[in-house]
Amino acid sequence: MADSIPLNPVRKSSKTIGNYRSGRRSRFSLEDELSSLDEMPLMMSEEGFENDESDYQTLPRARGGRRSRGLGWFLLGGWKVLCSSCCDCLAHVCRRKKELKARTVWLGSPEKCEEKYPKNAIKNQKYNIITFVPGVLYQQFKFFLNLYFLVVACSQFVPSLKIGYLYTYWAPLGFVLAVTMVREAVDEVRRYQRDKEMNSQLYSKLTVRGKVQVKSSDIQVGDMIIVEKNQRIPADMIFLRTSEKTGACFIRTDQLDGETDWKLKVAVCCTQRLPAVGDLFSISAYVYAQKPQLDIHSFEGNFTREDTEPQIHESLSIENTLWASTVVASGTVIGVVIYTGKETRSVLNTSYAKNKVGLLDLELNRLTKALFLAQVVLSVVMVALQGFVGPWFRNLFRFVVLFSYIIPISLRVNLDMGKSAYGWMITKDENIPGTVVRTSTIPEELGRLVYLLTDKTGTLTQNEMIFKRLHLGTVSYGTDTMDEIQSHIIQSHPQITSQPSGGGASSAGSATPAWKTQPSGPKVRKSVRSRINEAVKAIALCHNVTPVYESRAAVNGETESAEADQDFSDDNRTYQASSPDEVALVRWTESVGLTLVNRDLTTLQLKTPSGQILSFLILQIFPFTSESKRMGIILRDESTGEITFYMKGADVAMATIVQYNDWLEEECGNMAREGLRTLVVAKKCLSEEQYQDFENRYNQAKLSIHDRALKVAAVVESLEREMELLCLTGVEDQLQADVRPTLELLRNAGIKIWMLTGDKLETATCIAKSSHLVSRNQDIHVFKPVSSRGEAHLELNAFRRKHDCALVISGDSLEVCLRYYEHEFVELACQCPAVVCCRCSPTQKAQIVRLLQQHTANRTCAIGDGGNDVSMIQAADCGIGIEGKEGKQASLAADFSITQFKHIGRLLMVHGRNSYKRSAALGQFVMHRGMIISTMQAVFSSVFFFASVPLYQGFLMVGYATIYTMFPVFSLVLDQDVKPEMALLYPELYKDLTKGRSLSFKTFLIWVLISIYQGGILMYGALLLFESEFVHVVAISFTALVLTELLMVALTVRTWHWLMVLAEFFSLGSYLASLAFLNEYFDRSFITTWPFLWKVSAITLVSCLPLYIIKYLKRKFSPPSYSKLSS
């Protein structure tokens, strides 16, 4: 792909060595050891990357220890060293973040905590009462433009520098600051009210004396908190107890990880078994929890009960945790708080909103600096031509103030009003209903985007799974042939239930043990009916889905699994699982006749079409992990005693596990091309001896302290051999409306799209294909999992050799690549037509956005719909939130909120493009308005012996900047070069904008030349034509100036709007009407004479006509791309 890029590891900063010297291990110490080996050849074995760090750490300290430090050393400069080291130490202590540590938490005893933990309060405010005014003023005056106006306005308090009236300088500046402060204050008050509402929520806390009500912000580590159904969990807790008989409950995590499905959480066995809630205080127990971490998908800890002999130890994992910001979906739960406030997983994964500044504002800021330089140079030239006589320094400053109109303060006012107008237009656009503009300062950013980073679930897809295909090897069933499967199930179940022999090995009513029914002779080919029955049964049994009966749970939560038919009313039942794929599969089995009616931690029940209940004991469950890519379950049929091991998973994981076949790989490829998510289903019958042997080894592996995960996986893998392949399923995740044409539109507009998702690699790849994020003829390079520098280097080399292919990479591999080869990886990834990052944490999403901003200097846009997308949305130059099923968190945190993904096309192509082009024209025109009057002032001063006297005073200057020219100039916000339909039809027009040609030093220079030409003509013309009195110069030049500005607006406009015409005539009328009252500046008897009229007309004609001719010739011989379309 980019063979020229050398793979040099990223060097870390030298600060880390300092950490070594101080004897502290940096958390990146391993990276730094490795980066010290940069000079080593990179194609070496993994052992070559190990490095003994002992000498690295001890050497500097050993040397330091040998130095003698006596009184002489202290007097001869040692005191300086001590003082500086004390200051450094103090600064380090002030800046240092508190180190996060593992902790031991005693149940219900916050006072036993060894350390002080943070307050459990939510705080999203940017300022407090003390920092508000300084903070807002800093945000305003850090821009050169505003700081410049402040200095000029302050200079008018000095009598010798005073030019004109104070109000001409302070009124516009005060207006801008007042509007900004009011806007910030309103936002700040809203944030404060939202925080107060969250922090004041009441919860029940268990104490020795019973329940007490406590505010969310007053909860401490060690408190035992009761959380009711549909209540938000206030802090990170360990799940001790639930009202559900099963000892498990569901929680909704959509605001934490963006997934809408419910998660099953299991209470600690020891506390769940206690007879009553009050017994939690009669036991002596504690929880050991690892230090707070970012990873929301993992947790390691232990629960220990001390007052029994022997002590009870239970290992705690992610399924025993209740993270803050999730919501209890079933039952009432009791948990012990382990992390609060800023140490909770949700806060650690949230980045704070930054003040976003548009690229156009930064470019205008640069241009104002250039204008200021020109202003200073012009002032110096004027003083130099005077010959530096008298108080020349004071004269220099007077000239600087005199030419201060080069940078007009109305630039800031006009642009801010323009931004508000664009926001109003976006909100009122009927083609994108429900769109909200939350940040009114950056609408132009929508027209400059190069990278679009999008979430998958709920943004590109609806997160609604539909079962589409069942393949049995010889026969395939689609949506139109499901009735055949249904008839097979209806026919086979009465046979199965009435005949106690034969049938499917795991599905029959056979009393013969399963291991005796496995014949050693040749296999009899099964009928299609029995194969369908086995496949459907396997799909109905192999999952983590739980049926929930809402109305019954509301009346009485203690449903017994043995209770009869009224439990199983179909209207009441909803399915919950950690994956919507599984729910789709179980819903499908229900539609064809096999219904999952009950499930708890140990049993599972199916209902057949004839109404009979089949009961199974759950012996073991092996949950899905991103490493194994499969899930398994071992069940015992209660009627026959048969033990069956069912497994389903991704084709890459299952291909080596199932018996040899010649169709699986081909059919998986076919389904993937249709955009379906595939799962391979298999089974294996186990004898009692086989199972007992497995169970002993499995339990032994689970108790081991070292390499527990590896040992457990090895034991499970011993079962996963020669499994019988039952079927292949295809499920479709429905895309949002018009996702494909929208993505194609964005691609044609030159926008590179990256999909960042927390979902599995296979699912992400599938959606990338079905949404046409990756086109059909494009190759996909799946970046292999890497865990070390050596592996990352080899994999990057392999990726570099690929050309024009999309990249798919997991979050873990991405982290390794960024640690060692950040620059190289980003450079390679940016050359890909599309990038898919799966298994991304919220923090990683934000990190990727920041990387693109740093390495490419292009504008980024992030779009998402869940709480897990907030960090990414806030980090991007432009954040767009979708109001979806995952709540409003993303939409509230975003700069723009839309209701559907397809609206982004119009938002960028029409509104983004128009906003940028209009602001560019408006900004340059306002500058032109300032430069033309400064040119006239320069000509006037040079003619009148370089006197630092203003040409126009008082109301003339105020009127020129406001009532005489403001409305026509501001009406440029209504201008458009092409119709919206044309902009959507030719997205290539958008591509031009990213180059920034509408506002560049080239276009700016053209406007400077126009201003110098027109200013010179107006002033010299007036001086040539004036008669005897000086007052006539003012009258002629000012009238010609106002007319020139109105004609220049007409020259700049590309599409006329009735309001523009109205503004032109209103301004002209206002000026003519005001001539009657401006006796102090104009001679009324002169301005009504014929010589005045022809002189003004002649000057105006000479200043504007050549520009009109040039514009006509340019459009004739070198038309811009948009004019070709509009014609």
Side-chain angles (χ1 to χ4, degrees):
M1 180 172 281
D3 302 301
S4 58
I5 301 173
L7 284 173
N8 297 320
V10 177
R11 287 184 180 276
K12 299 290 167 190
S13 68
S14 56
K15 286 180 193 169
T16 340
I17 308 297
N19 286 354
Y20 280 125
R21 285 188 184 136
S22 62
R24 266 189 211 96
R25 278 295 305 269
S26 159
R27 74 189 173 105
F28 294 113
S29 57
L30 180 63
E31 303 162 28
D32 296 295
E33 292 155 31
L34 294 179
S35 62
S36 71
L37 305 173
D38 288 351
E39 283 68 37
M40 288 195 181
L42 268 162
M43 295 299 186
M44 59 196 289
S45 65
E46 194 47 49
E47 289 77 27
F49 292 100
E50 304 303 324
N51 186 28
D52 181 15
E53 58 187 72
S54 56
D55 54 355
Y56 214 26
Q57 288 185 325
T58 55
L59 212 63
R61 282 182 296 177
R63 283 180 190 149
R66 292 195 199 108
R67 252 182 235 145
S68 59
R69 297 195 169 181
L71 184 64
W73 170 82
F74 181 79
L75 294 172
L76 292 168
W79 63 275
K80 283 185 185 174
V81 177
L82 278 177
C83 286
S84 64
S85 61
C86 284
C87 290
D88 289 346
C89 185
L90 195 65
H92 177 70
V93 167
C94 292
R95 285 199 211 107
R96 186 181 61 194
K97 280 187 177 178
K98 188 185 163 193
E99 195 182 345
L100 301 173
K101 290 180 182 173
R103 60 200 60 190
T104 300
V105 179
W106 291 84
L107 266 59
S109 306
E111 65 281 354
K112 285 191 184 178
C113 291
E114 300 137 16
E115 290 209 21
K116 195 178 176 194
Y117 297 115
K119 198 168 182 266
N120 193 45
I122 292 169
K123 188 172 185 293
N124 288 312
Q125 289 163 259
K126 282 199 239 173
Y127 312 103
N128 56 35
I129 289 173
I130 299 164
T131 60
F132 177 73
V133 174
V136 174
L137 289 178
Y138 168 73
Q139 288 299 334
Q140 286 303 301
F141 292 124
K142 72 178 182 183
F143 286 110
F144 175 78
L145 190 66
N146 294 358
L147 188 64
Y148 165 80
F149 295 139
L150 182 69
V151 172
V152 169
C154 289
S155 72
Q156 295 305 290
F157 289 116
V158 181
S160 59
L161 301 177
K162 191 175 178 189
I163 293 171
Y165 303 106
L166 272 179
Y167 72 85
T168 58
Y169 294 91
W170 279 100
L173 185 65
F175 174 73
V176 172
L177 288 179
V179 168
T180 306
M181 282 196 157
V182 168
R183 193 171 59 199
E184 280 292 333
V186 168
D187 288 349
E188 201 59 10
V189 167
R190 282 181 186 156
R191 276 192 284 267
Y192 169 75
Q193 286 169 342
R194 279 204 298 268
D195 290 350
K196 191 179 176 184
E197 190 184 328
M198 296 293 269
N199 291 328
S200 303
Q201 284 180 352
L202 293 174
Y203 291 87
S204 298
K205 178 170 118 178
L206 275 181
T207 62
V208 185
R209 294 182 299 281
K211 291 183 191 177
V212 205
Q213 290 288 301
V214 62
K215 279 185 183 176
S216 171
S217 55
D218 296 334
I219 290 171
Q220 296 172 286
V221 171
D223 282 345
M224 284 197 280
I225 303 294
I226 300 171
V227 187
E228 303 290 341
K229 184 179 174 181
N230 291 329
Q231 204 174 8
R232 183 183 72 91
I233 293 169
D236 287 357
M237 308 197 294
I238 293 296
F239 184 14
L240 299 178
R241 207 176 160 82
T242 175
S243 59
E244 304 280 292
K245 274 287 179 66
T246 56
C249 82
F250 282 105
I251 62 163
R252 294 199 296 270
T253 62
D254 50 347
Q255 295 306 326
L256 185 66
D257 59 12
E259 293 177 17
T260 48
D261 37 79
W262 295 4
K263 306 286 187 295
L264 187 72
K265 297 289 178 179
V266 182
V268 175
C269 289
C270 178
T271 48
Q272 179 66 23
R273 283 200 300 262
L274 294 173
V277 173
D279 295 335
L280 286 168
F281 284 98
S282 63
I283 63 169
S284 173
Y286 63 85
V287 168
Y288 171 79
Q290 64 181 158
K291 68 178 184 181
Q293 292 186 337
L294 284 168
D295 190 358
I296 55 176
H297 299 297
S298 69
F299 174 76
E300 285 176 15
N302 289 314
F303 176 89
T304 306
R305 183 175 173 182
E306 286 192 326
D307 57 352
T308 55
E309 208 44 62
Q311 289 186 352
I312 296 173
H313 295 282
E314 260 188 71
S315 71
L316 302 175
S317 67
I318 187 69
E319 63 178 13
N320 306 113
T321 59
L322 303 168
W323 295 145
S325 296
T326 58
V327 176
V328 177
S330 66
T332 301
V333 303
I334 300 172
V336 61
V337 176
I338 52 168
Y339 309 124
T340 52
K342 59 188 177 198
E343 291 182 346
T344 59
R345 291 290 203 272
S346 60
V347 175
L348 285 171
N349 274 288
T350 304
S351 64
Y352 292 98
K354 60 176 183 178
N355 281 314
K356 295 185 182 181
V357 180
L359 186 59
L360 184 103
D361 292 322
L362 296 173
E363 287 168 347
L364 284 170
N365 207 37
R366 280 201 294 272
L367 293 180
T368 50
K369 287 176 187 172
L371 284 174
F372 176 69
L373 202 66
Q375 181 186 346
V376 172
V377 169
L378 189 59
S379 305
V380 170
V381 167
M382 286 291 180
V383 174
L385 291 170
Q386 268 183 341
F388 292 103
V389 289
W392 67 269
F393 198 83
R394 193 191 68 189
N395 287 345
L396 176 68
F397 206 95
R398 276 180 68 85
F399 272 121
V400 168
V401 176
L402 206 56
F403 296 138
S404 66
Y405 285 101
I406 281 187
I407 310 171
I409 192 164
S410 54
L411 177 64
R412 184 83 263 145
V413 180
N414 273 291
L415 286 175
D416 283 351
M417 284 165 58
K419 290 173 197 285
S420 302
Y422 308 142
W424 183 84
M425 288 174 197
I426 291 169
T427 312
K428 294 293 173 189
D429 189 342
E430 291 173 2
N431 294 295
I432 46 172
T435 303
V436 181
V437 179
R438 299 192 194 279
T439 308
S440 59
T441 54
I442 55 166
E444 300 92 357
E445 288 296 274
L446 293 169
R448 307 290 296 276
L449 303 175
V450 178
Y451 288 97
L452 178 73
L453 299 103
T454 172
D455 177 40
K456 177 189 73 70
T457 311
T459 303
L460 295 179
T461 68
Q462 295 178 22
N463 205 20
E464 283 180 11
M465 308 296 167
I466 295 174
F467 190 94
K468 287 281 186 183
R469 186 70 52 86
L470 180 74
H471 206 292
L472 300 173
T474 53
V475 61
S476 171
Y477 295 94
T479 43
D480 48 350
T481 50
M482 292 301 175
D483 51 341
E484 286 182 38
I485 297 178
Q486 195 171 0
S487 64
H488 281 306
I489 296 292
I490 290 167
Q491 288 167 25
S492 59
H493 270 281
Q495 295 167 7
I496 288 171
T497 51
S498 60
Q499 296 172 6
S501 67
S506 70
S507 59
S510 167
T512 320
W515 64 94
K516 290 184 184 173
T517 62
Q518 290 176 326
S520 54
K523 289 188 180 178
V524 179
R525 193 176 180 85
K526 293 176 181 171
S527 68
V528 171
R529 181 177 299 165
S530 69
R531 283 166 59 209
I532 286 175
N533 183 46
E534 282 182 22
V536 173
K537 188 170 178 185
I539 295 167
L541 291 170
C542 183
H543 51 71
N544 257 320
V545 182
T546 306
V548 178
Y549 297 92
E550 276 299 323
S551 60
R552 183 158 178 81
V555 178
N556 176 10
E558 301 175 8
T559 44
E560 288 291 331
S561 59
E563 280 186 80
D565 304 310
Q566 75 261 32
D567 283 4
F568 308 136
S569 57
D570 293 346
D571 302 338
N572 269 350
R573 190 186 314 109
T574 55
Y575 293 115
Q576 289 304 335
S578 59
S579 163
D581 300 53
E582 294 206 310
V583 175
L585 292 171
V586 172
R587 281 212 182 106
W588 175 76
T589 62
E590 179 183 8
S591 72
V592 295
L594 270 187
T595 309
L596 173 71
V597 288
N598 194 30
R599 170 152 191 178
D600 55 33
L601 294 178
T602 55
T603 59
L604 195 148
Q605 290 183 330
L606 298 180
K607 187 167 74 172
T608 65
S610 60
Q612 190 194 359
I613 299 296
L614 305 177
S615 294
F616 300 86
L617 281 175
I618 301 172
L619 302 177
Q620 298 290 349
I621 291 183
F622 315 113
F624 183 94
T625 65
S626 52
E627 290 77 38
S628 69
K629 296 185 175 60
R630 55 190 181 270
M631 70 85 56
I633 188 168
I634 301 180
L635 299 165
R636 186 196 297 275
D637 189 329
E638 286 191 355
S639 61
T640 63
E642 284 178 355
I643 299 173
T644 313
F645 173 34
Y646 290 106
M647 179 160 271
K648 71 168 186 236
D651 53 307
V652 284
M654 298 292 288
T656 53
I657 291 169
V658 296
Q659 293 166 350
Y660 174 76
N661 63 83
D662 57 1
W663 60 272
L664 182 61
E665 189 180 347
E666 185 186 344
E667 288 305 328
C668 283
N670 291 341
M671 285 196 194
R673 275 188 286 279
E674 289 177 45
L676 301 179
R677 295 147 72 114
T678 53
L679 282 174
V680 180
V681 185
K683 74 165 193 177
K684 185 177 191 176
C685 298
L686 303 177
S687 66
E688 196 68 42
E689 291 88 345
Q690 280 175 313
Y691 176 70
Q692 289 304 330
D693 170 53
F694 164 78
E695 189 178 35
N696 294 335
R697 289 184 294 125
Y698 187 65
N699 289 339
Q700 207 172 343
K702 280 210 291 190
L703 290 171
S704 61
I705 296 166
H706 301 294
D707 298 327
R708 183 190 295 178
L710 285 172
K711 288 175 183 173
V712 168
V715 174
V716 176
E717 275 173 27
S718 68
L719 271 190
E720 298 170 347
R721 289 183 189 144
E722 288 296 300
M723 296 188 74
E724 182 189 342
L725 174 58
L726 296 176
C727 64
L728 175 67
T729 65
V731 174
E732 182 183 46
D733 185 357
Q734 287 202 304
L735 294 172
Q736 293 267 13
D738 295 335
V739 159
R740 289 176 186 141
T742 304
L743 288 177
E744 191 178 346
L745 178 84
L746 296 172
R747 248 201 314 273
N748 292 340
I751 296 172
K752 290 187 176 178
I753 302 155
W754 289 33
M755 184 166 87
L756 314 180
T757 173
D759 220 326
K760 303 190 288 285
L761 188 138
E762 290 76 22
T763 314
T765 311
C766 211
I767 294 300
K769 286 176 182 171
S770 64
S771 65
H772 296 179
L773 175 68
V774 177
S775 56
R776 289 177 184 275
N777 54 359
Q778 244 166 24
D779 287 334
I780 292 182
H781 177 82
V782 179
F783 205 89
K784 287 180 188 147
V786 295
S787 54
S788 64
R789 173 190 284 181
E791 290 175 1
H793 180 269
L794 293 170
E795 190 54 31
L796 276 169
N797 271 344
F799 174 43
R800 192 171 56 174
R801 287 189 281 270
K802 297 282 181 80
H803 291 275
D804 191 45
C805 70
L807 171 67
V808 178
I809 186 168
S810 70
D812 298 338
S813 303
L814 180 72
E815 201 171 320
V816 175
C817 289
L818 295 181
R819 192 181 303 162
Y820 302 122
Y821 298 111
E822 183 181 289
H823 180 73
E824 288 78 7
F825 173 78
V826 176
E827 202 160 329
L828 286 171
C830 286
Q831 292 172 18
C832 293
V835 177
V836 177
C837 300
C838 52
R839 286 285 172 213
C840 276
S841 68
T843 326
Q844 265 182 326
K845 289 183 177 185
Q847 186 190 4
I848 293 165
V849 171
R850 283 191 285 270
L851 275 172
L852 285 173
Q853 289 168 338
Q854 289 161 15
H855 286 270
T856 66
N858 286 320
R859 305 317 268 176
T860 56
C861 173
I863 179 167
D865 69 321
N868 62 325
D869 302 315
V870 170
S871 300
M872 163 174 85
I873 284 169
Q874 289 178 339
D877 297 301
C878 175
I880 300 175
I882 296 180
E883 278 189 32
K885 292 180 181 174
E886 299 182 15
K888 286 190 172 184
Q889 202 169 344
S891 134
L892 290 170
D895 306 306
F896 302 90
S897 165
I898 57 178
T899 52
Q900 289 183 54
F901 183 80
K902 66 177 179 181
H903 291 167
I904 197 173
R906 190 175 178 88
L907 190 65
L908 303 189
M909 301 302 122
V910 177
H911 294 288
R913 188 172 179 279
N914 284 345
S915 299
Y916 169 59
K917 295 206 82 159
R918 287 164 176 172
S919 279
L922 182 65
Q924 291 178 125
F925 204 95
V926 173
M927 284 180 179
H928 157 75
R929 195 171 65 181
M931 285 186 288
I932 192 170
I933 208 163
S934 297
T935 307
M936 293 171 76
Q937 176 69 57
V939 172
F940 172 76
S941 292
S942 57
V943 169
F944 289 96
F945 312 105
F946 308 105
S948 54
V949 177
L951 171 60
Y952 306 123
Q953 286 193 349
F955 184 76
L956 285 187
M957 288 310 298
V958 176
Y960 173 68
T962 55
I963 196 162
Y964 299 153
T965 60
M966 190 180 87
F967 296 112
V969 171
F970 185 68
S971 71
L972 289 172
V973 302
L974 300 168
D975 191 21
Q976 60 178 29
D977 52 2
V978 292
K979 289 192 171 76
E981 298 75 30
M982 208 57 95
L984 287 166
L985 193 60
Y986 296 98
E988 291 76 12
L989 288 170
Y990 185 90
K991 208 183 286 188
D992 292 345
L993 304 190
T994 54
K995 300 176 182 121
R997 287 177 182 160
S998 297
L999 177 66
S1000 62
F1001 272 104
K1002 181 187 169 186
T1003 58
F1004 173 64
L1005 201 62
I1006 290 168
W1007 276 107
V1008 169
L1009 294 172
I1010 290 171
S1011 305
I1012 292 171
Y1013 166 74
Q1014 290 186 325
I1017 291 290
L1018 292 173
M1019 200 62 233
Y1020 276 119
L1023 288 169
L1024 285 170
L1025 300 171
F1026 90 98
E1027 297 166 15
S1028 63
E1029 291 176 74
F1030 166 67
V1031 76
H1032 293 167
V1033 179
V1034 175
I1036 294 172
S1037 64
F1038 192 78
T1039 308
L1041 173 65
V1042 171
L1043 290 175
T1044 299
E1045 282 300 296
L1046 296 181
L1047 287 171
M1048 284 302 291
V1049 170
L1051 178 72
T1052 310
V1053 169
R1054 288 163 294 210
T1055 310
W1056 283 92
H1057 188 282
W1058 66 269
L1059 281 171
M1060 291 175 170
V1061 179
L1062 188 69
E1064 289 269 334
F1065 283 111
F1066 174 77
S1067 295
L1068 185 60
S1070 301
Y1071 177 64
L1072 294 175
S1074 67
L1075 288 178
F1077 309 104
L1078 298 174
N1079 300 338
E1080 150 185 20
Y1081 307 108
F1082 300 148
D1083 179 355
R1084 203 182 301 175
S1085 59
F1086 174 71
I1087 59 175
T1088 52
T1089 59
W1090 174 247
F1092 172 76
L1093 290 174
W1094 81 256
K1095 285 174 185 176
V1096 167
S1097 304
I1099 294 170
T1100 309
L1101 202 63
V1102 174
S1103 74
C1104 292
L1105 191 62
L1107 298 174
Y1108 271 84
I1109 293 166
I1110 291 167
K1111 183 183 178 181
Y1112 173 76
L1113 293 173
K1114 194 182 174 194
R1115 282 198 71 138
K1116 184 89 175 161
F1117 298 109
S1118 175
S1121 52
Y1122 68 82
S1123 67
K1124 295 172 190 171
L1125 296 176
S1126 52
S1127 61

